[in-house]
Amino acid sequence: MTEKVDIHGVKINNVTMEEALDCALKMLESDKPGRIYTPNSEIIMQAYRDKTLMSILNDADLLIPDGAGVVLASRILNKNLKEKVSGIDLVKRIFENTKKRPASFFILGGKPGVAEKAAINIYSEYPKAKIVGYHHGYFKEVQIPEIIDQINKAKPEILLVGLGAPKQEKWIHNHYKQLSCKLIMGVGGTIDVFAGTATLAPEFMRKAGLEWLYRLIKQPSRYKRMLDLPRFMLLTLKTKLRSKPHQKS
Ligand code: UDP
């Protein structure tokens, strides 16, 4: 097991991308479904307010540090996460790895038609990634047993769930025991990126940790939710100051 780093109650695995990939590949050789979530600063703030979400995250088999903000907070708190491991990059590495070890996937999430487009693009780039099924993410509660049945009949090794956070983490937590997959991962808007209906921030912005700015420019309606980013940094600074009482001169 890898070391865990506590960021405001969320216990993140201190892994590099290589270690995260290794952990994901080990799950493929196991019998029970491994759950991977990708907490960023926004999700950590949501979990800070929602204790159910906090315990759902902490019950995962792997929590990767998805975002420059999380890594920066770990440094401020002297807990030094090794590096940012973004969810989409890990998914790409898992697809890439199918060249060595073919694997089957089911894609759940996105607007109707999006998962299908993603499946076509993924298959054309990674022919050894077998997409055995897909379903959009706008379903009603009553449809869930039918969707679970569809997934189990398709027999994917890996289930990618992109319903947005925290919906996807809650959905996975509530249903993973009914799913006969080996790895289940919450992937947020990644399905849209593979489908070509959303784009990633340019490399220079990703390297500078400015994905949040790119998302704000592309989707200004997210601004309310993104107020959690400064809240996250403020909470980090407060925690730091509390842990180091001022000395009188
Ligand atoms: N989504 C979905 N079902 C829902 C709500 C959202 O499938 O009920 C999808 C949405 O179409 C998009 C993804 O979930 O593909 C959420 O994307 P977002 O960028 O908001 O994800 P996050 O920031 O949470 O990673």
Side-chain angles (χ1 to χ4, degrees):
M1 259 327 273
T2 59
E3 176 211 359
K4 289 190 181 181
V5 164
D6 184 328
I7 306 287
H8 308 314
V10 179
K11 297 181 179 67
I12 297 181
N13 291 84
N14 193 5
V15 284
T16 60
M17 173 57 83
E18 289 307 316
E19 289 163 345
L21 177 66
D22 200 46
C23 193
L25 297 177
K26 280 199 181 110
M27 289 177 190
L28 294 186
E29 308 313 324
S30 155
D31 292 336
K32 60 179 183 73
R35 286 155 293 153
I36 304 181
Y37 306 134
T38 66
N40 58 15
S41 324
E42 282 177 35
I43 303 174
I44 293 175
M45 279 315 286
Q46 288 180 34
Y48 188 73
R49 293 186 290 260
D50 173 354
K51 295 303 160 206
T52 307
L53 178 60
M54 179 77 84
S55 59
I56 288 176
L57 293 180
N58 287 334
D59 195 43
D61 299 286
L62 181 67
L63 286 185
I64 57 173
D66 186 347
V70 181
V71 176
L72 176 61
S74 79
R75 300 214 165 122
I76 293 173
L77 299 170
N78 295 328
K79 294 177 177 177
N80 296 337
L81 281 165
K82 290 175 191 164
E83 65 183 23
K84 172 180 108 175
V85 181
S86 84
I88 187 152
D89 290 339
L90 179 57
V91 173
K92 281 187 182 163
R93 291 294 304 271
I94 294 172
F95 282 140
E96 191 70 41
N97 194 74
T98 57
K99 288 176 187 158
K100 289 190 246 160
R101 196 259 188 225
S104 56
F105 297 79
F106 191 106
I107 303 173
L108 174 65
K111 297 201 174 112
V114 170
E116 184 180 0
K117 268 191 202 153
I120 294 167
N121 293 342
I122 292 162
Y123 182 70
S124 77
E125 200 171 341
Y126 310 98
K128 297 270 173 70
K130 197 172 170 213
I131 313 292
V132 292
Y134 45 79
H135 196 289
H136 65 78
Y138 292 83
F139 47 81
K140 296 197 179 84
E141 194 73 24
V142 292
Q143 291 174 279
I144 294 177
E146 197 182 300
I147 293 172
I148 290 178
D149 205 39
Q150 187 187 337
I151 296 169
N152 285 338
K153 280 193 177 131
K155 295 195 178 79
E157 292 176 287
I158 301 172
L159 172 63
L160 302 177
V161 185
L163 306 175
K167 196 171 180 181
Q168 64 205 11
E169 289 77 8
K170 292 186 173 175
W171 193 89
I172 294 171
H173 186 80
N174 290 337
H175 302 293
Y176 77 95
K177 287 185 182 150
Q178 299 155 260
L179 290 158
S180 49
C181 318
K182 296 186 172 172
L183 192 174
I184 307 177
M185 181 168 171
V187 296
T190 296
I191 300 170
D192 292 287
V193 174
F194 281 110
T197 51
T199 46
L200 272 185
E203 198 52 33
F204 79 92
M205 289 185 97
R206 297 192 80 209
K207 279 205 174 124
L210 292 174
E211 286 107 325
W212 61 272
L213 182 59
Y214 183 78
R215 292 196 96 174
L216 188 59
I217 295 166
K218 286 276 176 181
Q219 291 171 269
S221 59
R222 287 178 75 96
Y223 85 93
K224 265 199 186 149
R225 198 177 143 173
M226 290 180 80
L227 288 174
D228 268 345
L229 301 181
R231 286 193 195 109
F232 174 80
M233 286 323 296
L234 265 176
L235 178 63
T236 305
L237 292 173
K238 272 196 207 156
T239 309
K240 172 77 174 176
L241 291 174
R242 271 204 300 266
S243 70
K244 249 193 182 176
H246 290 294
Q247 287 173 350
K248 286 186 185 150
S249 53

